[in-house]
Amino acid sequence: MSTPPPTQTDADAAEATQEKKARERKPQRRAGELNARELGRWAWRQVTSMRTALVLLLLLALAAIPGSVIPQSGVDALGVTRWKEEHPKLTPIYEKLDLFSVYDSPWFSAIYLLLVVSLVGCIVPRLFVYFRAMRAQPPAAPKNLTRLPEHTTYRTDASVEDVLANARAVLGRRHRLRRTEGDGVDSVAAERGYLREAGNLLFHLSILVVLAGFAIGGLFGYQGGVIITQGTSFTNNLTQYDDFNPGGLFRTDQLDDFCFTVDDYQDTWLTEGPRAGMAIEFSADLTYEEVCGSGEEKNYDLRVNHPLGIGSTDVFLIGHGYSPIITITDGNGDVAWTGPQPFLPEDSSFLSFGVVKAPAAKPGQVGLEGVFYPSFDMVDGNPVTVFGDDLNPTLSMLAYTGDLGLDDGVSQSVYVLDKDNADLVEKDGKPFRVDLQPGDTVELPDGLGTVKFEGVEPWVRVQISQTPGKEVALIGVVLALIGLCASLFIRPRRVWVRARPAAADGASGTTPGDTDPEDGVTMGGTVVEVAVLDRSGNADAGEVLDDLVKKLQKGAG
Amino acid sequence: MSNAAWETLSNQAIGAAGIVYFIALVVHLAEWAAVRQPKEKATASNATATSAGTVGGDTLVVEETAVDEDRNGERVAFLGRLGVLLTAIACAVHFVALVGRGMAADPNRVPWGNMYEFTISGTFVVTLLYLVLYKKFHLGWMAPLVLVFNVSVLMIAVIWLHEPVAPLAESLNSYWLVIHVVSAVIATGAFTLGGIASLMYLVRMRAEKKAAGAPLTGWMGRVPSLVALDRIAYRVHAFAFPVWTFAVLITGPIWAHEAWSRYWNWDPKEVWAFITWVVYAGYLHARATAGWKGRNAAILALIGMATLWFNFIGINYFSTSSQHAYAGERQVQVVHVKAPGVDVPRAGLAAGAPG
Ligand code: HEM
């Protein structure tokens, strides 16, 4: 009977026996002579060894660090651009090393794929070992229980049969007992905690499930963002998105067929306290149809932390800002452009930047570029916005005319003015400023027309995404957690109780019938040996033994 | 009570708790000094060494102690009890400070809106766990370490991290926040306690090497054996790890999904939470791997603790792109997305999240 020492785990034991078997199988040959099969087997053993898993885990942790220090294009695209501008020398090196997208880089993937291989190679054999162990009987008591590190011996007046029967009763409640064949068995062998290994296997398998869920989301999902001004609508097709980030296997026909209108947007600005100037309680009232054109309108109050689910798509409120409503009337008196145009906040003061383009204006195209102050004020001679709420909305823009680059068919961002072939509009040799408050109209020089600031509407930025596999990932982590708890808190152990008539003990040279000076039990009687083997290496087996002996003694006296 | 009164109460309670922790520390140091007294013969054998095998009667250890040693022993025991009592009182006052923080906010909320609040919650959990486990794991030896940790971290919190009570940023306003942060704080406290045990493991290991077989004296003599230290460290880590898993890999992603539409975004805070998780998984593996048991495992546990606290405090100063910016630092998160052809700045609502 070979029992591992108590601090050694099953994993080590398994590894050790594996190695032993491999050694036994190896024919007599000089060291260094490995054929391809053996090399393969050797490599496989290395990859699936506990030590490799450990090193790979630490490597994974190490490899994750750069991505938290260097801006990542998937998280912070502008940060990447800025970083590249500041470090022109390092940029090419960093790009070669994929340091701007660490988590999709080949070297990062290599580490976790190796870990997955190692994991599979580790789990599969252990599954078989486990199934065999499940069906096996607890091993019989070793010949000499007193050799085990946690053991004790005591005497009792009860008969051997009573002691063993009692031990079976006491242990039977929470242990699996070894079946005894016939007479002459002087011991009880018991084992418990089989679920620990099951938990461990479940945990490691669940990691694969989580990875699968994660991969499904990355490949088949998408995220898109769009800014929608209050009072306007969105229909879910690709052309309507401001930005769209699909997974590798995304197909357009995955898009759900919904549409919605932002009826009303509300927020509350804090005017006092340490967070004065911060907005809270964002809320956008939507009217939506799950199938656009079906006429079945529903309402939803879209708020932060309360996404709207439509089919397999989720809609999130993630931003807000202002759309000044501007009308450009051209030199001919025709309206060349009118409507709300979203301006993009530069920082938390909600000072916002935007452009307006009127390519159809006659006699010349008109483009405006400038900033919007929600609460305009002059502080020390500088124009600033003193608050994020639109208490004193003010526009300050410059006008351009000429070719705005809209006619050559290249798609253009609505947030950027192409000034390559356009001229700044000037008056008296100075740039002409278009400074407006709601209701104001200003006449552009050179008969270009007029610009009117009609008012302000809020806009909301919504993120729209499909994340297939998120349930898979969630189920995976929950199972992993369950397995982990079983693996960490179940303490597997083996227990043996052996009882013999004291005479057979032979150790004490006293006469039967006398009273033992140490424990007060009549000489003779029965000598009971109890041993506990903790198989997790983490339990205090001494305590367990004490407890057990107390229980045994209570039962059989 | 008005909000301002609650806030004042909270501030005063933190101060008071800090002072009582400090007094408790002094008492425990006096206890140490008493143990060190030369007359006392080192009872180097520690609790666990004698516990095994006593039932059999064959290994009963009979300790003979002289009378004056007895008296000294009494004094040590008294100082020890007093220290624990003071720690318990400080812990209660500490709790009042947390409640005060929550009551001072309008609307009332859990006190985890910023780093100051997270720090005082974390130290509270460290103390509470220490007190809860005191009996079970015989943690008397740990008292000075826990108290030094508490006093210094509370000092840092009060001097550098203190912020007036403020309402939560919108994205923090979720019951997932409560679950996520409660579990993260509990795990942080437990990991810290486990880290202290692992640290002691390394210290005692060195001391044993130096003593070269001679019994350890003084305070070191009262520190449990290496086997027992390793077991305590493991058990505390084994408790903390699933809690951390729950916080970081379950509730965190669920909440991130609701607030930011992506359950995992490789945001720096997430990355470091993941690194911490992987390092502790490494620790658990190390304990089961021959050649890594003991010393290396303890070192890994300390690395894990370093990543944990770095993530909590350090990363905020290192990285600017974290969405987990603490409320108040950035009220508006300016998200930059790639529109066709150009980079355009867009504004987002959600200022950050602790955790
Ligand atoms: C994806 C990477 C992995 C993670 C996150 C991970 C995590 C863990 C954790 C947290 C434990 C502790 C639970 C316990 O003590 O039972 C554990 C245990 C264990 N893992 Fe892994 N593991 C990974 C990969 C592997 C691989 C590749 C192997 C195979 C070589 C492996 C083999 C084991 C074994 C044998 C145990 C049990 C240790 C013991 O008996 O205490 N793991 N793992």
Side-chain angles (χ1 to χ4, degrees):
Chain A
M1 170 67 227
S2 74
T3 34
T7 47
Q8 193 179 24
T9 59
D10 297 346
D12 279 334
E15 229 174 282
T17 44
Q18 240 182 10
E19 268 162 38
K20 207 168 104 204
K21 268 193 213 136
R23 243 181 284 127
E24 281 162 2
R25 242 181 272 133
K26 201 185 285 180
Q28 301 276 320
R29 223 163 346 120
R30 260 175 291 134
E33 269 185 63
L34 288 174
N35 65 30
R37 249 184 83 199
E38 279 167 337
L39 193 71
R41 213 187 292 136
W42 175 84
W44 180 245
R45 243 186 344 218
Q46 292 308 309
V47 170
T48 57
S49 88
M50 205 51 188
R51 190 157 319 186
T52 310
L54 178 53
V55 170
L56 286 174
L57 275 174
L58 297 182
L59 260 180
L60 187 69
L62 212 61
I65 294 177
S68 73
V69 190
I70 301 161
Q72 297 294 293
S73 47
V75 184
D76 184 10
L78 199 90
V80 173
T81 315
R82 265 194 219 136
W83 197 96
K84 286 182 177 171
E85 278 163 15
E86 283 165 26
H87 307 85
K89 281 227 181 82
L90 280 178
T91 299
I93 304 172
Y94 276 40
E95 271 174 348
K96 271 233 175 70
L97 296 174
D98 294 305
L99 287 176
F100 298 112
S101 54
V102 166
Y103 307 107
D104 331 302
S105 71
W107 51 271
F108 190 79
S109 314
I111 296 173
Y112 75 70
L113 286 179
L114 258 181
L115 200 52
V116 167
V117 171
S118 167
L119 194 57
V120 172
C122 189
I123 293 177
V124 172
R126 280 166 64 108
L127 274 173
F128 288 112
V129 171
Y130 182 67
F131 277 117
R132 251 177 277 129
M134 277 293 285
R135 271 180 291 145
Q137 295 237 20
K143 281 227 177 55
N144 196 347
L145 285 182
T146 53
R147 284 243 183 90
L148 290 166
E150 293 300 341
H151 68 91
T152 187
T153 310
Y154 68 92
R155 283 164 194 252
T156 164
D157 289 337
S159 69
V160 169
E161 289 73 30
D162 285 351
V163 169
L164 291 181
N166 178 49
R168 299 189 76 86
V170 168
L171 289 171
R173 251 169 269 149
R174 320 233 355 225
H175 294 69
R176 178 189 291 183
L177 298 178
R178 182 179 175 85
R179 258 177 279 123
T180 38
E181 297 91 8
D183 300 329
V185 178
D186 60 353
S187 62
V188 176
E191 180 162 11
R192 58 167 288 177
Y194 291 84
L195 278 182
R196 175 183 191 270
E197 178 68 1
N200 193 352
L201 291 170
L202 175 64
F203 170 77
H204 286 88
L205 280 172
S206 304
I207 290 178
L208 298 179
V209 175
V210 176
L211 286 177
F214 206 73
I216 292 172
L219 288 173
F220 296 96
Y222 77 88
Q223 288 98 31
V226 58
I227 286 179
I228 305 162
T229 303
Q230 173 176 292
T232 62
S233 302
F234 171 84
T235 307
N236 191 31
N237 63 55
L238 275 182
T239 57
Q240 296 241 332
Y241 284 89
D242 289 340
D243 57 278
F244 195 81
N245 181 10
L249 297 177
F250 170 83
R251 293 201 324 272
T252 319
D253 58 11
Q254 264 173 248
L255 289 178
D256 283 318
D257 232 355
F258 61 87
C259 51
F260 61 83
T261 305
V262 178
D263 299 322
D264 184 40
Y265 170 76
Q266 300 284 340
D267 52 27
T268 307
W269 290 85
L270 300 174
T271 52
E272 54 186 27
R275 292 283 155 79
M278 182 173 103
I280 55 169
E281 293 168 3
F282 316 98
S283 146
D285 283 338
L286 306 185
T287 304
Y288 69 97
E289 290 174 59
E290 290 194 11
V291 177
C292 206
S294 67
E296 279 179 50
E297 293 193 342
K298 294 182 193 168
N299 291 303
Y300 190 80
D301 176 18
L302 189 65
R303 284 172 298 139
V304 176
N305 282 324
H306 297 274
L308 164 66
I310 308 176
S312 57
T313 310
D314 292 311
V315 179
F316 303 81
L317 176 62
I318 65 160
H320 67 130
Y322 297 103
S323 296
I325 305 168
I326 295 164
T327 301
I328 299 176
T329 310
D330 69 11
N332 296 352
D334 296 327
V335 174
W337 201 88
T338 185
Q341 170 59 35
F343 275 44
L344 305 172
E346 307 258 84
D347 55 39
S348 60
S349 74
F350 273 82
L351 174 72
S352 307
F353 174 87
V355 303
V356 179
K357 303 173 197 178
K362 302 275 165 15
Q365 299 186 355
V366 175
L368 302 171
E369 180 187 85
V371 290
F372 170 75
Y373 303 89
S375 290
F376 177 79
D377 203 354
M378 293 298 281
V379 174
D380 301 332
N382 294 314
V384 294
T385 181
V386 289
F387 202 55
D389 202 1
D390 53 340
L391 300 178
N392 185 24
T394 303
L395 274 172
S396 177
M397 314 214 277
L398 293 173
Y400 294 85
T401 186
D403 180 7
L404 298 178
L406 285 160
D407 305 327
D408 54 9
V410 179
S411 74
Q412 231 190 45
S413 166
V414 295
Y415 302 105
V416 178
L417 194 63
D418 177 359
K419 291 174 288 197
D420 289 350
N421 299 311
D423 301 314
L424 184 62
V425 175
E426 295 182 339
K427 191 175 184 182
D428 306 330
K430 275 191 284 182
F432 181 77
R433 296 201 73 82
V434 182
D435 291 334
L436 296 168
Q437 294 215 314
D440 291 352
T441 305
V442 71
E443 179 144 3
L444 297 171
D446 310 332
L448 285 167
T450 60
V451 178
K452 183 170 187 205
F453 183 10
E454 315 258 2
V456 184
E457 292 275 5
W459 57 252
V460 293
R461 177 165 157 80
V462 295
Q463 180 97 359
I464 300 172
S465 65
Q466 277 184 346
T467 320
K470 64 179 182 229
E471 295 84 4
V472 175
L474 182 63
I475 291 169
V477 262
V478 170
L479 287 179
L481 188 64
I482 294 170
L484 185 64
C485 287
S487 167
L488 291 172
F489 302 129
I490 293 177
R491 306 207 184 287
R493 59 174 169 264
R494 291 178 180 155
V495 177
W496 295 280
V497 179
R498 172 171 284 138
R500 273 171 298 167
D505 188 18
S508 52
T510 41
T511 340
D514 285 356
T515 306
D516 188 299
E518 251 181 53
D519 53 18
V521 173
T522 317
M523 290 294 169
T526 306
V527 174
V528 186
E529 285 172 358
V530 187
V532 171
L533 180 66
D534 164 50
R535 284 163 46 84
S536 67
N538 303 313
D540 192 342
E543 255 169 46
V544 175
L545 186 66
D546 293 354
D547 253 23
L548 182 62
V549 168
K550 256 181 234 142
K551 274 195 205 135
L552 290 173
Q553 287 179 325
K554 212 188 305 160
Chain B
M1 257 168 100
S2 74
N3 286 342
W6 277 114
E7 186 167 358
T8 313
L9 174 74
S10 171
N11 290 344
Q12 287 170 347
I14 272 296
I19 291 169
V20 182
Y21 280 132
F22 184 73
I23 298 173
L25 175 61
V26 171
V27 170
H28 278 297
L29 291 179
E31 179 197 358
W32 266 30
V35 174
R36 283 236 188 87
Q37 235 129 78
K39 271 217 175 136
E40 232 236 339
K41 248 181 261 147
T43 46
S45 60
N46 51 63
T48 41
T50 54
S51 77
T54 44
V55 183
D58 46 0
T59 44
L60 262 184
V61 180
V62 186
E63 292 189 31
E64 290 168 20
T65 31
V67 180
D68 52 339
E69 278 175 7
D70 234 11
R71 203 166 295 146
N72 190 40
E74 259 170 39
R75 222 179 93 209
V76 170
F78 169 75
L79 286 171
R81 277 200 305 272
L82 182 64
V84 174
L85 182 68
L86 284 171
T87 310
I89 292 171
C91 186
V93 178
H94 199 154
F95 184 68
V96 171
L98 290 184
V99 173
R101 263 325 263 200
M103 298 298 285
D106 183 30
N108 290 345
R109 61 174 167 83
V110 288
W112 303 305
N114 54 44
M115 270 163 55
Y116 171 73
E117 295 176 354
F118 194 98
T119 311
I120 61 175
S121 306
T123 42
F124 172 75
V125 172
V126 171
T127 323
L128 191 68
L129 277 179
Y130 156 75
L131 289 171
V132 167
L133 299 178
Y134 183 85
K135 265 247 170 70
K136 186 162 187 231
F137 289 156
H138 311 284
L139 292 185
W141 58 273
M142 206 191 244
L145 298 170
V146 170
L147 290 169
V148 164
F149 176 82
N150 264 3
V151 170
S152 24
V153 173
L154 280 184
M155 233 148 56
I156 291 173
V158 170
I159 295 172
W160 283 305
L161 304 178
H162 186 268
E163 274 180 50
V165 174
L168 289 180
E170 190 78 359
S171 60
L172 302 189
N173 199 354
S174 155
Y175 60 85
W176 285 110
L177 166 81
V178 180
I179 304 173
H180 173 69
V181 179
V182 166
S183 42
V185 169
I186 291 176
T188 303
F191 276 137
T192 305
L193 211 63
I196 291 177
S198 290
L199 179 69
M200 240 19 249
Y201 181 94
L202 295 175
V203 172
R204 186 176 163 115
M205 197 170 197
R206 271 197 65 186
E208 281 190 0
K209 207 177 258 168
K210 253 204 205 135
L216 295 170
T217 52
W219 180 65
M220 200 37 94
R222 303 182 73 206
V223 173
S225 69
L226 288 182
V227 177
L229 275 175
D230 182 53
R231 194 153 53 214
I232 291 170
Y234 169 77
R235 286 215 188 159
V236 178
H237 281 117
F239 162 76
F241 189 75
V243 179
W244 184 250
T245 307
F246 178 71
V248 168
L249 300 181
I250 296 183
T251 59
I254 290 177
W255 176 37
H257 176 69
E258 303 218 321
W260 305 321
S261 84
R262 299 182 72 171
Y263 64 85
W264 191 267
N265 202 24
W266 294 110
D267 167 288
K269 204 101 185 165
E270 285 170 356
V271 171
W272 278 90
F274 173 73
I275 290 172
T276 301
W277 186 79
V278 170
V279 171
Y280 279 118
Y283 163 78
L284 292 174
H285 274 204
R287 278 193 87 268
T289 309
W292 281 77
K293 290 187 179 106
R295 182 166 160 271
N296 287 357
I299 291 173
L300 273 183
L302 291 182
I303 294 176
M305 192 166 82
T307 64
L308 182 75
W309 282 91
F310 172 74
N311 188 23
F312 171 47
I313 297 184
I315 193 71
N316 299 352
Y317 300 104
F318 246 85
S319 169
T320 50
S321 60
S322 176
Q323 287 188 303
H324 283 70
Y326 283 86
E329 283 172 17
R330 271 186 304 162
Q331 289 133 13
V332 179
Q333 152 220 345
V334 180
V335 184
H336 300 283
V337 290
K338 194 127 175 103
V342 261
D343 282 325
V344 229
R346 299 279 165 74
L349 301 173

